[in-house]
Amino acid sequence: MDKDIKKIKAVLRNTLIIESSAVKEQISHIDDNHIKSVIMIINIIKNRGKIIIVGIGKSGFIARKISATFSSVGIPSVFVNLTELLHGDLGMISQNDLIFILSYSGESEELKGIATSLKAIGSKIIVMTGRPRSFLGRLADCVIMSSVKKEACPFNLVPTSSTTAMLAIGDAIALGVASINGFRKIDFARYHPGGNLGKKLTLKIKEIMHMGRNNPIIPERAKVKDALIVMTKTKLGAVSVVDERKKLVGYFTDGDLRRKLQIDDAILSKKIKEVMTKNPKTVTADILASDAAEILKKYNCDNLPVVDDKNRPIGIIDERDLISSGLM
């Protein structure tokens, strides 16, 4: 069994070394064609054309993932099943579209037939292949080299390093287009409205903060025992302290209370302004909840007061709200 464990570990390690080397190898392949492919895609988008990505076998799976990456960064893209193209779906393609074909050998009979038909339609063709002088390479308007020295497979047969390299190149091209197009964080949020990604980019403090009766506030003239009553009532374990103008001057938490009790038995009868944290950290209602989560982590606190532009406490954000929103 020990021998098997060592063998498994060696295979895992060797596979990752070979595949990571194959990806790194692609850096030396970057040339004018890579730049040309980015420009071609940008022009197709400007002319409201589609990016159609095609592959067969293992390359087909990679083509589907690259298409998903394109879509994630706002590039109109669709993966099309080769069989469907062979049986009528060529009608969806026009001369305004760009076809991105993945084929390591560049000699797939099925793809050769489709590529010839696409050429007749007048569509632009980019081919990613390990053999630029192959049939598909010669037919293409732009050829992206993706050759690798060896597959991770011990027999150098199973597509492993080659498909990993294709995936990395596809991501690089997609991000190249996104960069030139000025893709922003807010654009990413627009295309990913659901799940944690959407929340991180769109959910704001004002949507989840505690307000009104659930926002614990006391005047600075109040005593610590009054603060304890307010904290207990709202169950947030903290209270904002304000002056006569309703502006935030301090903050007091149940953690502060526990620490003070250890050195002062009479703390409950003291005024809150004597023991509060002055000039506390605050957040505003319009910041992203994900940014607030980072602030809580940075300063190791459970909650923070939310203030308006006049430094008046209008709410409180609690760690539990961020956890329930999937942001912590």
Side-chain angles (χ1 to χ4, degrees):
M1 189 61 184
D2 287 343
K3 286 185 177 181
D4 289 339
I5 292 174
K6 288 181 179 179
K7 183 177 181 180
I8 292 169
K9 186 175 181 179
V11 171
L12 295 175
R13 184 174 182 275
N14 194 50
T15 299
L16 292 175
I17 288 174
I18 294 173
E19 292 200 11
S20 60
S21 295
V23 171
K24 190 173 182 179
E25 186 182 343
Q26 303 313 305
I27 297 173
S28 63
H29 293 161
I30 295 176
D31 59 15
D32 290 345
N33 282 308
H34 289 70
I35 298 170
K36 181 180 178 181
S37 70
V38 171
I39 294 172
M40 287 174 66
I41 293 170
I42 290 172
N43 288 335
I44 290 293
I45 295 171
K46 286 181 178 178
N47 293 322
R48 300 188 179 281
K50 302 184 293 296
I51 311 300
I52 297 169
I53 306 183
V54 181
I56 189 171
K58 304 296 187 298
S59 294
F61 290 107
I62 301 302
R64 188 186 294 272
K65 166 55 176 67
I66 292 174
S67 177
T69 300
F70 275 38
S71 296
S72 288
V73 293
I75 302 168
S77 169
V78 60
F79 167 78
V80 179
N81 184 283
L82 182 62
T83 302
E84 293 170 352
L85 281 180
L86 288 168
H87 293 280
D89 276 4
L90 275 173
M92 68 180 285
I93 300 172
S94 74
Q95 62 182 3
N96 296 321
D97 298 328
L98 182 147
I99 316 302
F100 199 150
I101 299 175
L102 275 62
S103 174
Y104 191 75
S105 70
E107 297 291 347
S108 166
E109 291 300 325
E110 297 95 332
L111 287 173
K112 285 163 70 173
I114 285 295
T116 302
S117 298
L118 293 170
K119 198 72 174 178
I121 291 172
S123 304
K124 295 295 183 183
I125 298 175
I126 295 175
V127 170
M128 188 189 301
T129 180
R131 296 170 183 165
R133 299 307 304 165
S134 62
F135 178 90
L136 290 176
R138 294 194 305 273
L139 188 73
D141 297 292
C142 179
V143 182
I144 303 297
M145 166 75 95
S146 64
S147 66
V148 297
K149 291 179 181 177
K150 64 176 296 185
E151 302 287 4
C153 165
F155 309 110
N156 197 32
L157 294 173
V158 178
T160 45
S161 300
S162 57
T163 49
T164 300
M166 282 182 164
L167 179 60
I169 296 168
D171 285 344
I173 292 173
L175 294 177
V177 175
S179 176
I180 299 301
N181 276 351
F183 189 76
R184 303 162 301 166
K185 183 185 287 188
I186 189 64
D187 296 316
F188 187 86
R190 187 179 299 117
Y191 298 123
H192 300 77
N196 280 349
L197 285 176
K199 286 181 181 178
K200 285 182 179 180
L201 295 169
T202 59
L203 187 66
K204 293 187 176 182
I205 287 296
K206 61 185 177 184
E207 298 176 56
I208 58 173
M209 69 183 187
H210 297 264
M211 300 180 292
R213 294 181 179 179
N214 295 318
N215 178 28
I217 298 175
I218 61 168
E220 60 181 339
R221 64 178 180 274
K223 293 185 177 181
V224 173
K225 63 180 180 181
D226 299 318
L228 181 59
I229 293 172
V230 173
M231 286 191 289
T232 302
K233 186 177 180 180
T234 57
K235 299 179 182 180
L236 288 173
V239 62
S240 295
V241 184
V242 297
D243 61 16
E244 66 278 2
R245 295 174 298 171
K246 305 299 182 182
K247 292 188 176 183
L248 183 73
V249 292
Y251 200 59
F252 190 72
T253 69
D254 54 7
D256 294 329
L257 178 61
R258 287 193 299 271
R259 286 186 289 273
K260 299 291 185 181
L261 276 171
Q262 293 178 25
I263 57 175
D264 186 358
D265 293 337
I267 187 174
L268 292 178
S269 61
K270 289 189 174 181
K271 289 186 177 180
I272 193 70
K273 65 180 181 180
E274 297 179 52
V275 296
M276 67 184 184
T277 298
K278 297 179 180 180
N279 302 314
K281 300 292 181 185
T282 63
V283 293
T284 58
D286 286 328
I287 74 165
L288 292 174
S290 58
D291 291 337
E294 291 302 316
I295 294 172
L296 287 175
K297 289 179 183 177
K298 181 178 180 180
Y299 295 104
N300 192 29
C301 49
D302 297 329
N303 42 50
L304 286 173
V306 183
V307 297
D308 62 13
D309 57 357
K310 294 182 179 180
N311 201 41
R312 295 175 300 196
I314 57 173
I316 185 171
I317 184 67
D318 190 77
E319 180 184 54
R320 288 170 294 182
D321 303 314
L322 297 168
I323 291 174
S324 63
S325 296
L327 297 175
M328 292 185 74

